[in-house]
Amino acid sequence: MLAFLGAALPSAAAEELPNWSVEIDATVQGDDGTIAGRAHLTVWNPTQQPLSSIRLFLYPEHYRAKPALDDILWERVYPGIWEPGGMSLGFVRHLREDGGTSGLTWRRIEDGPPMAEVDLPGPLLPGESTTLEIPFLTQVPRKYGTFGRARGILTASGGWHPMPVTLTPEGEWVADAAPPPADYSIQLTTSSAHAVVLGDAVDVPRSRTRLGADFVPTAAPLGGSSTVTLDGDARRTHWSGKARWVGVTVHRRATQRDIPLEDGSTVTWVGRPLSKPQVRWIRRAAHAVRRTEVELGLEVEPRDVLLLEAPLRRRLVEEWEGALFVSDRYLEAEAPFWRYHDVHLARALLAHDMESLIQGAEPPRMAPFVLEALSWELVGDYLQTRWKNHVGLRNLLQRFSFFPQVETLLETPAFPFADQIFDNPWIVDPLSADIRRFNRPLRSGRTLSLRLDDRVGTASKRQSMLRYLRGQTSRPLFVAMAADAGQEIDELANSWLGSVPRVDFQLETIERDRTEGGLHRTTVTARRVELEGVSPDEVVEVRLSPGHGRTKGRVTLRWTGSEEVATWEVLSRRRMHVVEIDPQARLTELDENGLNLRQDNRRPGLLRVSGFGYAGLSITGRGFEAYGLLNIRPRHSARHQVNLRAFTNEQSLAGGGVTYAHYFGPPRWGLNLKHRVVFTVDVSLLNQNFRETDAPLLSRISAGYVYETRSNSMMPTKGGRFSVTVTGGRDFSLKKEQARSITEAGFIGLDVQAIRLLKLHPHHVLALRGKAGFVLGEVEHSRITLGGNADLRGIPERAVLTPARVLGVVEWRHLFFKDADIPLPFQRVRGLQGGLFIEGALAAKGFDEAPGVEDLHFSVGYGFRWFVDWLGVLPGAWGMDFAYTPGTTPGRLPIGFFPEDWPEVPFQVYFVGSQSF
């Protein structure tokens, strides 16, 4: 991207200004991610005062520092090993008119976006121009997105060379706005084996190019010109034309496919080979977009469209100067779900066609938001044209939102594209935005458009937008909309330019009584808490309803001010059982992780019930353990949780219990907090095959404390967990004559556990685990088992019982692959992880005898886990462990029909799995 002197002017005035010229000669090393070259930048002074220096953007410096992200967000941004980006400048020279040069000094500006200030050789008078030569070396970071490299694709959508910061005629440096167009001349040298896209110039090796049967060359989208020459292993691509910035894409394995449209234009795809259904999907989407524009009376000239495959993980489609970047995950959708992906391609195509209509009419800061708002306004018309009876996936899933996993997808998405596929426009990405917004936090123009529905009304907003698109007004969109509606909307619109304010709405008190006339009186007090920044005056709905699913008699209040506390008194014939702030979840109440913060918005609060299951099978030891639980918690809150458990294991034939957990302290991730206290009560029927007992019922009560910093991810790579638990209980006989005293039947124990994950590399984690505990009492089934898949895996679980033990584990976990999308029936495989472990334990024979060398045990082994999700919403992890301990009871492989014929083996094999429901 380029930013230039003299922006923020109306289109008529901009035509009278001189064009800026940018000449670049650079070489791209796609495998190393470097772009080295020289830039000749011609800038001029648009102010009325002499100019002594200019400022340059160094955009790649945004990626110099390693960000602090949780595991889930990290996987949306970085593909593996973290490699920073950056830009370094060489010796800057001034190119004099006499052909000579002179050196210039420059320095970095510490505050604000990454910029450098270059001192000019002398004052630059108003209206005069000067040319600088700037050697540069850009390191494109290893990351997903439109500025990064991953999966054999280097994408530098803009900002890969130094560029002047915009200077207004009033002398203001505008560091957060897009530049006006400039005259470019770029010579780029790359490897002849790679496909290259420079601006709109596509150069794919001929063996990987496929033209449509009726392909007819048309004008390039940017209106530029290009040439390509080969020199041995080097390819030189030259592009010249007028643009705001020019992107570069280098693709190791790209193919080209040209898809002709009915209106004579062409959609060009550069990326992986397309199947026939995928070509048909793209063609039909483009045709429906053009029909929608014609039916709405928009005077849009058919334009060629360039689609570039890019490793995006935060959006499915990104529109750029003359091209649309499409995620490499985009075309992996199954046919029944294509329409939910298709929406985002259609919106980008609409924005691509409308860009010429708003060019020069909008202030540079606001233009990206206006374009997105307009394109989303027309998506509904597109869906009627393309799909007729389209029902959003979000509306379908709302019926199942009582499952917390579904609720998470709809309201607080935590994996790539969930907010887009499941269509929640109110999600705000906590990361800084792309270069088109100059790294402002990403608040979408779609969200701004929806907020305008509350301010000016849906019908009035739509009419203003259509008049704007049909050329019936020359004013900026929001100025025209304010005039049409007779309301000021500048404050709301301008609030989208700054950092995202964080606010929390809370129901403080609700009082109910009856009037003398018999009416129900409900007094509601709500509080607005500013968490960060200052939020604009927004319309907040407060809904009162009789409850029980009844819509008749509802009362909706509109809180339009910015008061910290507001109180309403409502009289009604029915008793208002339910009061809720923002029932449609249209406000962005966010925590610091960008997730919804709505714990105090509704009374009475809703409960969320979810299920979780775990199963472990000792294949060689013929042991089995499993448990299932129902988790009950308030909606949007994890502070109070109740688990109903049912379980079976080698010690217990069957058991059940209830657990209460109270979470507190700072957030761990999303709704999860770092600290919790846990109380559990359970009863079990003991397994006589494990140890014989005349008291087969065991009751147990425990209390514990847990501190956890691991992120809530299927594959955590950092953080830890510490817990301490005190347990007590007793066994019971079913026969009165066999009843025993509490001193004989009771027990009490203490257990301490600690886990620490050390991230050695994005694909390699060192996991350290330790346990220490003891049990006082004579109940055999209450003693600590030394073996099994939760302890020393080389020993069968029933082999060794001890009243006290200390155990340590060191495990090297390594990912064979992650971030995958391998389709299987009803599920997708996301990753495969292996683990090499060594375990050691010291088990005591009793408290009156010191342990000896024979009480020291160890095992070595290897295991693997594969991570899946079912139907896109139910994550699970499954795997197998193999472990060996010398001198222990051998295992038996279940080969054959009769257990006595199973062969003995010197190791243990476990099958493990966990699944959420």
Side-chain angles (χ1 to χ4, degrees):
M1 181 205 70
L2 281 181
F4 305 89
L5 303 178
L9 294 178
S11 57
E15 295 176 356
E16 301 173 1
L17 299 177
N19 293 331
W20 314 119
S21 64
V22 182
E23 297 182 8
I24 298 174
D25 189 349
T27 300
V28 179
Q29 297 291 342
D31 295 334
D32 297 334
T34 60
I35 306 176
R38 294 177 179 273
H40 289 183
L41 306 180
T42 299
V43 296
W44 72 293
N45 181 3
T47 71
Q48 300 301 315
Q49 302 294 328
L51 194 63
S52 60
S53 64
I54 66 167
R55 293 186 178 184
L56 303 174
F57 276 118
L58 308 179
Y59 177 74
E61 289 293 305
H62 278 295
Y63 306 107
R64 174 76 67 181
K66 188 174 183 178
L69 304 175
D70 62 67
D71 282 5
I72 292 178
L73 193 54
W74 181 276
E75 292 171 3
R76 296 182 65 180
V77 182
Y78 294 97
I81 185 171
W82 180 77
E83 293 181 5
M87 176 183 288
S88 57
L89 303 183
F91 189 58
V92 180
R93 296 178 180 272
H94 171 234
L95 302 183
R96 300 196 303 267
E97 295 181 359
D98 60 6
T101 63
S102 56
L104 302 177
T105 60
W106 65 275
R107 57 194 169 275
R108 294 182 182 271
I109 298 176
E110 298 299 331
D111 298 329
M115 294 184 292
E117 188 167 34
V118 179
D119 294 324
L120 297 176
L124 185 65
L125 299 179
E128 292 187 352
S129 62
T130 189
T131 301
L132 308 181
E133 181 185 78
I134 307 176
F136 66 92
L137 175 63
T138 295
Q139 178 66 55
V140 179
R142 186 184 295 274
K143 64 181 290 291
Y144 295 125
T146 57
F147 196 92
R149 54 190 175 96
R151 296 178 175 265
I153 306 174
L154 181 149
T155 304
S157 53
W160 50 272
H161 55 84
M163 49 197 181
V165 180
T166 299
L167 180 63
T168 67
E170 292 77 24
E172 176 191 3
W173 295 103
V174 184
D176 62 350
D183 290 329
Y184 273 91
S185 177
I186 301 177
Q187 175 99 359
L188 201 66
T189 302
T190 57
S191 169
S192 60
H194 294 167
V196 179
V197 179
L198 175 60
D200 53 24
V202 179
D203 182 22
V204 177
R206 181 58 58 184
S207 61
R208 290 184 267 157
T209 302
R210 181 176 179 182
L211 303 181
D214 301 320
F215 172 69
V216 178
T218 58
L222 294 181
S225 61
S226 62
T227 59
V228 178
T229 58
L230 293 176
D231 184 7
D233 293 334
R235 170 186 283 105
R236 292 187 176 87
T237 305
H238 179 266
W239 187 91
S240 61
K242 193 171 186 179
R244 290 180 295 176
W245 55 75
V246 179
V248 174
T249 297
V250 179
H251 202 305
R252 188 182 301 166
R253 295 176 296 272
T255 62
Q256 178 181 340
R257 180 68 183 266
D258 296 302
I259 306 172
L261 303 181
E262 295 173 350
D263 58 12
S265 60
T266 302
V267 175
T268 298
W269 166 264
V270 178
R272 68 181 66 182
L274 297 176
S275 65
K276 289 184 179 179
Q278 291 168 342
V279 172
R280 184 165 59 250
W281 289 340
I282 293 175
R283 179 184 286 113
R284 288 179 176 175
H287 284 161
V289 165
R290 300 293 163 83
R291 290 199 303 271
T292 300
E293 293 168 347
V294 171
E295 291 171 0
L296 292 174
L298 308 184
E299 298 181 359
V300 178
E301 295 184 3
R303 300 175 65 195
D304 291 345
V305 181
L306 178 58
L307 304 181
L308 302 178
E309 180 183 6
L312 308 183
R313 289 297 179 275
R314 291 164 61 195
R315 283 192 167 192
L316 287 168
V317 184
E318 291 268 18
E319 65 272 13
W320 294 93
E321 189 89 351
L324 302 179
F325 288 116
V326 179
S327 171
D328 54 345
R329 289 284 183 85
Y330 186 86
L331 296 175
E332 293 175 359
E334 302 293 341
F337 299 98
W338 170 252
R339 63 173 61 195
Y340 307 112
H341 288 55
D342 170 72
V343 167
H344 300 281
L345 176 60
R347 189 211 63 79
L349 290 171
L350 288 164
H352 178 268
D353 286 348
M354 291 188 294
E355 191 166 12
S356 60
L357 299 179
I358 73 167
Q359 207 167 50
E362 295 293 337
R365 287 185 175 99
M366 191 60 68
F369 298 100
V370 171
L371 187 61
E372 188 172 2
L374 291 169
S375 57
W376 272 112
E377 181 65 27
L378 302 187
V379 163
D381 300 279
Y382 165 83
L383 291 174
Q384 290 299 314
T385 302
R386 174 72 175 91
W387 297 105
K388 302 302 181 184
N389 299 317
H390 176 81
V391 178
L393 187 59
R394 179 177 180 80
N395 294 334
L396 295 176
L397 289 176
Q398 284 282 13
R399 304 171 187 176
F400 304 96
S401 63
F402 55 86
F403 290 117
Q405 286 83 6
V406 177
E407 176 194 18
T408 296
L409 287 175
L410 296 178
E411 300 187 16
T412 55
F415 67 91
F417 315 124
D419 52 334
Q420 296 218 330
I421 297 173
F422 298 101
D423 195 28
N424 183 1
W426 303 105
I427 294 300
V428 176
D429 197 322
L431 295 174
S432 295
D434 55 53
I435 196 170
R436 288 167 63 90
R437 296 177 177 86
F438 281 71
N439 255 46
R440 290 193 299 266
L442 195 155
R443 301 188 79 186
S444 70
R446 180 188 185 187
T447 312
L448 173 57
S449 176
L450 292 172
R451 296 302 296 137
L452 289 171
D453 287 340
D454 296 329
R455 187 62 59 92
V456 302
T458 302
S460 176
K461 183 198 74 174
R462 178 173 173 81
Q463 289 303 314
S464 296
M465 287 185 169
L466 290 178
R467 291 181 63 249
Y468 178 88
L469 290 172
R470 291 165 181 164
Q472 297 172 356
T473 179
S474 59
R475 292 177 292 183
L477 175 62
F478 297 129
V479 175
M481 189 178 296
D484 293 342
Q487 296 189 43
E488 289 296 329
I489 61 175
D490 286 348
E491 182 185 3
L492 178 62
N494 290 330
S495 69
W496 253 244
L497 298 175
S499 61
V500 179
R502 295 198 299 113
V503 64
D504 182 20
F505 293 98
Q506 303 171 358
L507 283 172
E508 195 163 82
T509 61
I510 300 175
E511 299 176 358
R512 299 179 177 92
D513 59 2
R514 300 289 289 266
T515 66
E516 294 180 357
L519 296 176
H520 291 275
R521 177 165 47 208
T522 307
T523 304
V524 179
T525 300
R527 180 175 295 274
R528 176 193 190 115
V529 180
E530 303 283 353
L531 301 177
E532 183 179 337
V534 179
S535 60
D537 293 346
E538 296 186 287
V539 178
V540 183
E541 286 189 1
V542 181
R543 178 188 293 171
L544 292 77
S545 63
H548 308 292
R550 289 178 289 187
T551 59
K552 187 176 181 180
R554 282 181 177 176
V555 176
T556 300
L557 309 172
R558 292 170 66 87
W559 185 3
T560 58
S562 58
E563 302 88 358
E564 181 179 348
V565 178
T567 302
W568 301 270
E569 186 177 284
V570 177
L571 301 179
S572 59
R573 295 182 180 275
R574 297 172 181 256
R575 177 181 171 86
M576 294 298 175
H577 290 277
V578 179
V579 181
E580 185 172 8
I581 300 176
D582 187 28
Q584 301 182 58
R586 297 178 66 111
L587 298 173
T588 50
E589 294 184 69
L590 303 172
D591 65 12
E592 55 268 30
N593 293 310
L595 302 178
N596 274 347
L597 185 66
R598 303 175 56 81
Q599 289 92 329
D600 304 311
N601 284 36
R602 188 184 193 275
R603 291 188 189 174
L606 293 175
L607 294 180
R608 284 295 181 247
V609 180
S610 64
F612 183 83
Y614 169 84
L617 173 64
S618 175
I619 297 176
T620 52
R622 290 180 287 176
F624 176 73
E625 64 174 325
Y627 68 83
L629 62 83
L630 289 178
N631 175 268
I632 305 171
R633 64 168 178 83
R635 185 184 182 188
H636 301 304
S637 175
R639 291 187 177 275
H640 303 278
Q641 300 188 37
V642 174
N643 291 329
L644 304 179
R645 302 170 56 246
F647 58 88
T648 181
N649 52 43
E650 288 205 48
Q651 295 154 291
S652 305
L653 291 175
V658 59
T659 297
Y660 167 74
H662 171 61
Y663 289 71
F664 59 96
R668 173 163 60 98
W669 182 83
L671 300 178
N672 300 281
L673 306 179
K674 290 185 177 180
H675 303 268
R676 63 183 181 269
V677 290
V678 183
F679 303 92
T680 301
V681 177
D682 59 46
V683 178
S684 57
L685 177 64
L686 300 180
N687 184 358
Q688 298 283 353
N689 292 328
F690 182 79
R691 293 288 190 277
E692 290 188 1
T693 177
D694 56 3
L697 291 179
L698 185 74
S699 64
R700 189 190 315 260
I701 182 171
S702 66
Y705 163 78
V706 180
Y707 172 75
E708 186 165 8
T709 58
R710 294 181 299 178
S711 64
N712 188 18
S713 170
M714 288 194 299
M715 294 176 280
T717 61
K718 56 187 176 182
R721 183 178 186 271
F722 171 81
S723 66
V724 56
T725 305
V726 177
T727 303
R730 64 164 298 169
D731 61 6
F732 295 89
S733 173
L734 299 179
K735 300 178 181 179
K736 291 184 178 180
E737 61 271 16
Q738 296 178 346
R740 297 183 296 172
S741 66
I742 187 65
T743 57
E744 297 176 310
F747 63 90
I748 187 171
L750 174 70
D751 188 68
V752 179
Q753 299 186 28
I755 300 173
R756 182 65 179 174
L757 301 180
L758 304 175
K759 189 174 184 179
L760 309 177
H761 179 278
H763 287 183
H764 301 275
V765 175
L766 187 65
L768 307 176
R769 179 164 59 96
K771 288 184 177 182
F774 66 87
V775 175
L776 301 175
E778 300 299 326
V779 180
E780 287 281 312
H781 285 77
S782 70
R783 295 200 171 189
I784 300 172
T785 59
L786 188 64
N789 65 348
D791 291 284
L792 209 66
R793 282 170 275 190
I795 300 177
E797 184 169 358
R798 67 181 65 190
V800 180
L801 291 182
T802 176
R805 62 97 172 88
V806 177
L807 178 144
V809 180
V810 177
E811 183 173 358
W812 168 45
R813 300 176 184 175
H814 44 280
L815 285 165
F816 293 103
F817 63 85
K818 68 172 185 176
D819 189 41
D821 193 26
I822 303 173
L824 295 175
F826 305 108
Q827 65 173 311
R828 289 182 178 272
V829 177
R830 299 300 185 188
L832 177 63
Q833 176 182 273
L836 178 66
F837 56 86
I838 180 170
E839 304 167 326
L842 183 63
K845 297 185 182 71
F847 292 106
D848 56 352
E849 181 181 352
V853 176
E854 69 277 6
D855 298 316
L856 182 62
H857 308 269
F858 76 92
S859 68
V860 295
Y862 189 85
F864 60 89
R865 301 289 186 272
W866 64 89
F867 302 91
V868 300
D869 65 55
W870 297 80
L871 304 176
V873 298
L874 302 176
W878 303 86
M880 297 188 74
D881 289 334
F882 303 83
Y884 166 74
T885 295
T888 190
T889 305
R892 287 181 175 270
L893 281 179
I895 300 175
F897 292 100
F898 303 102
E900 60 270 16
D901 296 333
W902 291 355
E904 292 186 352
V905 292
F907 53 85
Q908 303 295 321
V909 182
Y910 302 93
F911 175 82
V912 295
S914 60
Q915 179 67 57
S916 63
F917 299 95

